[in-house]
Amino acid sequence: MSKRNLPPVPPEIEALVPYKPGKPIEELERELGISGAIKLASNENPLGTSPKAQEAMAKALPGLNRYPDGAGFELRQALAARYGLAQEQIVLGNGSNEIIELLCRAFLRPGDLALAASPSFLMYSKLVQVAGGRLKEVPLKDYRLDLAALAEAIEPSTKLVFVNNPDNPAGTAFSKAEFSEFLTKVPEGVIVVLDEAYIEFASDPEVAQGTDFLDHQVPVVVMRTFSKAYGLAGLRIGFGLGPVEVMDILHRVRQPFNTSILAQAAGTAALADEEFFRKTMEVTWQGLKDFYACFERLGLTYVPSQANFVLVQIGPRASAVADELLRRGVIVRKMASYDLPEFLRVSVGLPQENRRFMDELQAIIGEG
Ligand SMILES: Cc1ncc(COP(=O)(O)O)c(C=O)c1O
């Protein structure tokens, strides 16, 4: 067949590289002809779907012939009550990824600059690129966001500054005092995008909470998600909190029905499922402790985490160790695409999954 003539593809779109997500369990099992593989690669909640969210979705099923409530009234009302905000300060998204996309589409014109740490969550660079913007990256310092350097990197064409707290992939977090200090250095005309995908896991009370900064003179948009602490990654529901002027723009840019009936119902129920949330924190914090103890026994350096995953330094064999773990049915995340080739990122799983990972890691490393 002859090649079809397409309209010219803009160079920034042609240059896009598809996002490489963690390998799905089913794919690994198909490839290796094994069963019972475990995935500790995408920072998902290992406890399954909250029973309350399941009930709410079951109840909503017969009504799927209708379009969803485009305003997401019930979920936004529940979020407004939870955070003491007006509904106008809240935008729902098809995952918090969509909030990143809406911000880029709304505020970046070709040539505009966005800032983020390096390494950082890969979707920032991708969505900035799609919008025709440029991303300037500021290296982490001691595995922590370098807020002073980020503030210094702001140029007149800078529109968005992405700060991720706790940070993916490092798992480190900055304090309320550090964030307050950073905001004093942000000039007018810049939106600070505070990505709090993992904030619920932060056990250190000093860690900054974006909801404390929504009245700040600097516009701060806080992004949160139901994908991690609330266990709904497969459903795609997240939200942005911010000044009404910014949220109003995002509402105009978004598709009218960007979140589904099921996602809205499950999100509302998951928010109220305190038992599921409490269990999630308990499993995560215990899992991190067990990982740390294991790494210390094996003489491996790790970065203490405020999230539900941890970076561990394996050394030059990191990629080979990850491949061997894969062959043994344990999926963890290689960090070469994050410029940390000696590291692996491991998400906390169920206690028995963590044990299996630690046993296999010890066996592989012991084999030298
Ligand atoms: C730092 C960070 N931000 C945002 C997201 C996106 O989450 P969502 O599932 O809500 O789109 C992730 C998901 O892994 C993440 O790690």
Side-chain angles (χ1 to χ4, degrees):
M1 210 186 342
S2 65
K3 235 180 149 199
R4 291 183 178 82
N5 270 330
L6 300 178
V9 179
E12 66 274 15
I13 302 298
E14 187 75 51
L16 286 169
V17 181
Y19 179 78
K20 211 167 160 218
K23 198 185 258 298
I25 292 178
E26 297 73 20
E27 189 181 317
L28 179 74
E29 292 185 342
R30 255 196 326 272
E31 277 174 19
L32 296 183
I34 58 172
S35 61
I38 60 168
K39 184 179 175 200
L40 304 176
S42 297
N43 308 335
E44 294 148 338
N45 190 318
L47 291 171
T49 311
S50 128
K52 287 202 170 148
Q54 291 193 44
E55 246 172 67
M57 285 190 280
K59 231 166 113 189
L61 280 175
L64 295 185
N65 56 315
R66 304 289 177 200
Y67 284 102
D69 170 8
F73 179 83
E74 274 194 24
L75 178 52
R76 281 168 73 223
Q77 189 178 47
L79 291 167
R82 166 68 58 99
Y83 298 115
L85 302 172
Q87 285 214 23
E88 292 69 30
Q89 289 174 278
I90 305 170
V91 171
L92 303 180
N94 184 30
S96 57
N97 271 338
E98 193 190 5
I99 309 295
I100 308 174
E101 185 171 25
L102 294 176
L103 285 161
C104 292
R105 286 228 305 272
F107 291 103
L108 294 181
R109 295 279 72 81
D112 280 346
L113 196 65
L115 296 179
S118 168
S120 193
F121 184 48
L122 300 174
M123 290 307 290
Y124 307 144
S125 75
K126 189 181 176 72
L127 293 169
V128 167
Q129 193 177 341
V130 170
R134 294 173 299 130
L135 186 75
K136 185 154 109 185
E137 296 185 307
V138 175
L140 295 180
K141 193 169 161 191
D142 299 329
Y143 306 105
R144 304 185 78 234
L145 250 73
D146 189 346
L147 290 174
L150 273 162
E152 266 169 38
I154 294 174
E155 297 177 18
S157 63
T158 304
K159 302 295 187 315
L160 301 174
V161 180
F162 291 100
V163 285
N164 182 200
N165 199 49
D167 178 62
N168 177 12
T172 54
F174 50 75
S175 69
K176 188 171 175 171
E178 288 168 320
F179 191 57
S180 295
E181 163 75 14
F182 165 73
L183 289 179
T184 63
K185 300 178 193 156
V186 176
E188 281 190 9
V190 175
I191 296 175
V192 173
V193 185
L194 181 54
D195 183 346
E196 293 191 332
Y198 301 97
I199 193 68
E200 294 87 356
F201 299 105
S203 53
D204 177 351
E206 295 298 310
V207 170
Q209 298 281 330
T211 43
D212 290 337
F213 292 90
L214 293 173
D215 292 333
H216 200 281
Q217 180 60 28
V218 174
V220 176
V221 173
V222 176
M223 298 192 306
R224 294 201 176 185
T225 182
F226 284 95
S227 298
K228 312 291 177 182
Y230 294 98
L232 295 175
L235 200 58
R236 314 305 302 127
I237 180 86
F239 55 97
L241 310 173
V244 175
E245 312 89 277
V246 179
M247 297 294 111
D248 172 54
I249 300 290
L250 301 189
H251 275 297
R252 291 192 236 171
V253 171
R254 73 175 173 85
Q255 292 197 24
F257 305 115
N258 63 332
T259 61
S260 71
I261 287 180
L262 294 183
Q264 291 179 20
T268 310
L271 200 62
D273 193 343
E274 287 170 17
E275 175 59 19
F276 183 86
F277 186 86
R278 193 192 54 70
K279 190 96 206 296
T280 298
M281 295 305 133
E282 195 181 293
V283 164
T284 305
W285 294 333
Q286 185 57 48
L288 284 175
K289 273 194 207 154
D290 294 343
F291 281 168
Y292 298 166
C294 164
F295 299 150
E296 280 161 26
R297 260 197 326 275
L298 297 176
L300 298 172
T301 304
Y302 62 92
V303 183
S305 174
Q306 292 292 323
N308 64 342
F309 55 83
V310 60
L311 261 190
V312 56
Q313 188 165 19
I314 304 287
R317 294 169 59 214
S319 173
V321 168
D323 289 340
E324 185 52 35
L325 282 166
L326 263 191
R327 278 190 285 277
R328 297 171 183 226
V330 179
I331 311 173
V332 299
R333 193 63 162 248
K334 291 186 189 184
M335 284 285 106
S337 56
Y338 287 81
D339 248 351
L340 294 166
E342 295 209 345
F343 285 80
L344 298 177
R345 194 192 65 197
V346 191
S347 314
V348 176
L350 294 172
Q352 61 271 27
E353 295 174 324
N354 300 336
R355 168 85 1 240
R356 182 160 154 206
F357 157 71
M358 293 186 286
D359 288 349
E360 297 293 10
L361 180 69
Q362 178 160 0
I364 295 166
I365 289 192
E367 281 162 14

